[in-house]
Amino acid sequence: MPRQLDLRTGRPVWSAYRAPAVPTTALTRDAKADVLIVGMGVSGAMMAEVLTADGHSVICIDRRGPVKGSTAATTALVEFELDQPLSVLIKMIGESKAQQAWRRSRLAISSLAGRIEDLAIDCRLSRTQSLYLAGAMLSASELRDETEARRQAGIAATYLAPQPLAERYGIDRNGAILSHGNIALDPRKLTAGLLLKALERKARLHAPVEATTIEDSADVVVVATKGGPTITARHVVLATGYELVDIVPAAAHRIISTWAIATRPQPRKLWPQAAFIWEASEPYLYARATADGRVICGGEDEDFIDEARRDELIADKSARIAAKLSRLFPRLDVRPEFAWTGSFGTTTTGLPYIGAIPRHPRIHAVMGYGGNGITFSRIASEIVSASIGGFDDTDAGLFAFNR
């Protein structure tokens, strides 16, 4: 089982907003279900909601408790635009696969927004424009090429030259791509809402419960827990976020550290449309507004996982992020009211790993890596639920471990 990570430190902005309580019970005896989900963050919650809607009996466990891992640290820019630009991804995996990955991500945003509205989950959902600014990774001319690559894939995109970018949004950059159809939300409210829907459908939520061993056969998977009881299921879904389980193959991923801040509410000082802002750099700066007008801004990622060192850098990184935000929007009060740090995963291509583990067809892993974690969680809920139901998702191969 995994090395346990200190996934986040500091005070994420979402602690300022009340999320519904999710009741759990102790696991006091052996249990059985159609599906066991390990993890009650956003990925596990989406899986639980979809699988219970499909009529499966579901047990969820988490060694911390619901919404207590990395989900509470996400900045929740829920975008279809992948970390890896389409024009770059094409060179990495080929045009057809890259286009389909972007299209599936675009579809996932629409699907997730519709699901939230159908379930009437109050997570402050709003549809949001996004601006992808020219940076060190893509120049203005390369952004034009990226715009055309998206159009060729059937994904609407508008290139903004410096003058219209400044006139419409007050941003001084060499160019940007304007996109529509992304969403903003409160990730704690969303996760809690999904778990409560699963609970209404008789899902069993047990915490704190730590899985210790996993043994699978042709028909079932048996998971032992630290407290003693075992859970037997036809399928197991590992939604453990960035805490990797040993049975998951060593994919092309790495864990890195990231930092974020949030300002006081200042709705009158926000930029037009409160569009998502991120830049074509590595690492990139990103910003979004909350429903009450705070500005969340993050970046300054570094390629290490030493939690003590990561935490020591909160003050310095917060000051750097605030300074960058001030240069972008001089009218804002950029003083951090919240500052936090966390560990998250990324892959070479920016695409997640989703699906059955090789040689273990009843054990499914959801590794929604990168800046599109919530988007990838939605894709995972669709792919894995189809597999458990005996169906094939046409895009499963794009995200499979043996791709």
Side-chain angles (χ1 to χ4, degrees):
M1 297 301 289
R3 180 176 83 86
Q4 296 179 357
L5 296 177
D6 173 15
L7 292 173
R8 57 184 172 87
T9 303
R11 190 180 174 215
V13 65
W14 310 115
S15 61
Y17 312 105
R18 174 179 255 173
V22 180
T24 61
T25 58
L27 182 66
T28 58
R29 64 184 69 183
D30 294 350
K32 293 183 178 181
D34 293 335
V35 185
L36 167 65
I37 300 170
V38 183
M40 281 192 268
V42 66
S43 294
M46 285 195 196
M47 288 300 322
E49 189 280 316
V50 169
L51 289 169
T52 53
D54 287 345
H56 298 287
S57 63
V58 171
I59 293 175
C60 299
I61 62 173
D62 194 294
R63 72 180 184 87
R64 295 181 180 87
V67 208
K68 291 185 177 179
S70 57
T71 294
T74 179
T75 47
L77 287 82
V78 188
E79 296 185 307
F80 68 85
E81 298 159 276
L82 303 181
D83 280 355
Q84 206 66 265
L86 177 55
S87 55
V88 175
L89 189 60
I90 286 172
K91 297 174 183 176
M92 301 177 78
I93 65 173
E95 183 176 60
S96 177
K97 289 181 179 179
Q99 288 180 340
Q100 188 55 26
W102 268 71
R103 284 193 288 259
R104 182 58 181 262
S105 182
R106 181 75 176 82
L107 182 62
I109 294 294
S110 177
S111 172
L112 175 59
R115 192 81 167 196
I116 291 170
E117 291 170 346
D118 286 348
L119 296 171
I121 294 176
D122 178 13
C123 60
R124 297 194 167 187
L125 172 71
S126 63
R127 286 172 169 78
T128 309
Q129 299 177 349
S130 73
L131 288 169
Y132 187 41
L133 307 180
M137 192 164 73
L138 293 180
S139 65
S141 62
E142 289 169 322
L143 276 188
R144 290 182 183 272
D145 295 339
E146 173 69 12
T147 303
E148 183 57 29
R150 296 186 190 185
R151 288 175 176 167
Q152 290 292 327
I155 297 170
T158 303
Y159 176 77
L160 296 179
Q163 185 173 345
L165 178 61
E167 291 174 349
R168 291 172 60 179
Y169 296 95
I171 296 174
D172 181 18
R173 281 293 179 97
N174 290 334
I177 297 176
L178 173 65
S179 297
H180 299 270
N182 293 311
I183 58 176
L185 49 79
D186 181 322
R188 290 175 69 244
K189 289 178 180 289
L190 171 63
T191 304
L194 291 168
L195 289 171
L196 290 171
K197 290 296 178 183
L199 200 60
E200 288 178 10
R201 304 185 189 121
K202 309 303 181 184
R204 288 163 280 171
L205 311 184
H206 298 300
V209 176
E210 183 175 341
T212 54
T213 62
I214 302 175
E215 295 184 3
D216 57 327
S217 65
D219 301 316
V220 296
V221 186
V222 179
V223 176
T225 67
K226 192 172 183 180
T230 62
I231 302 171
T232 302
R234 292 193 302 110
H235 295 271
V236 168
V237 179
L238 301 174
T240 56
Y242 310 129
E243 294 184 299
L244 301 184
V245 177
D246 290 342
I247 199 170
V248 176
H253 64 261
R254 69 186 194 278
I255 305 296
I256 66 178
S257 295
T258 189
W259 293 263
I261 64 170
T263 70
R264 66 173 178 82
Q266 46 191 316
R268 294 183 180 180
K269 293 186 177 182
L270 296 181
W271 53 98
Q273 310 298 321
F276 286 163
I277 307 291
W278 59 305
E279 58 184 7
S281 298
E282 182 61 45
Y284 56 76
L285 186 78
Y286 56 87
R288 60 156 289 196
T290 60
D292 57 353
R294 298 181 190 273
V295 177
I296 301 173
C297 187
E300 287 286 312
D301 299 355
E302 291 203 28
D303 194 359
F304 69 83
I305 56 171
D306 182 330
E307 290 101 332
R309 179 182 165 203
R310 179 199 69 194
D311 297 350
E312 289 172 357
L313 290 172
I314 290 178
D316 178 63
K317 292 289 190 177
S318 297
R320 288 172 179 267
I321 292 169
K324 289 181 177 180
L325 180 61
S326 181
R327 287 194 292 272
L328 195 61
F329 296 113
R331 292 181 61 247
L332 285 177
D333 177 359
V334 299
R335 290 173 294 178
E337 190 168 297
F338 298 84
W340 68 100
T341 182
S343 298
F344 81 103
T346 185
T347 66
T348 305
T349 62
L351 298 181
Y353 285 92
I354 298 167
I357 295 172
R359 298 182 299 281
H360 301 277
R362 292 187 176 274
I363 304 176
H364 311 262
V366 176
M367 294 164 61
Y369 278 169
N372 304 86
I374 294 176
T375 308
F376 292 155
S377 293
R378 177 61 191 174
I379 294 173
S381 71
E382 295 166 349
I383 289 176
V384 175
S385 63
S387 177
I388 289 174
F391 303 101
D392 292 324
D393 187 294
T394 55
D395 294 330
L398 287 173
F399 309 106
F401 284 89
N402 58 358
R403 64 178 185 247

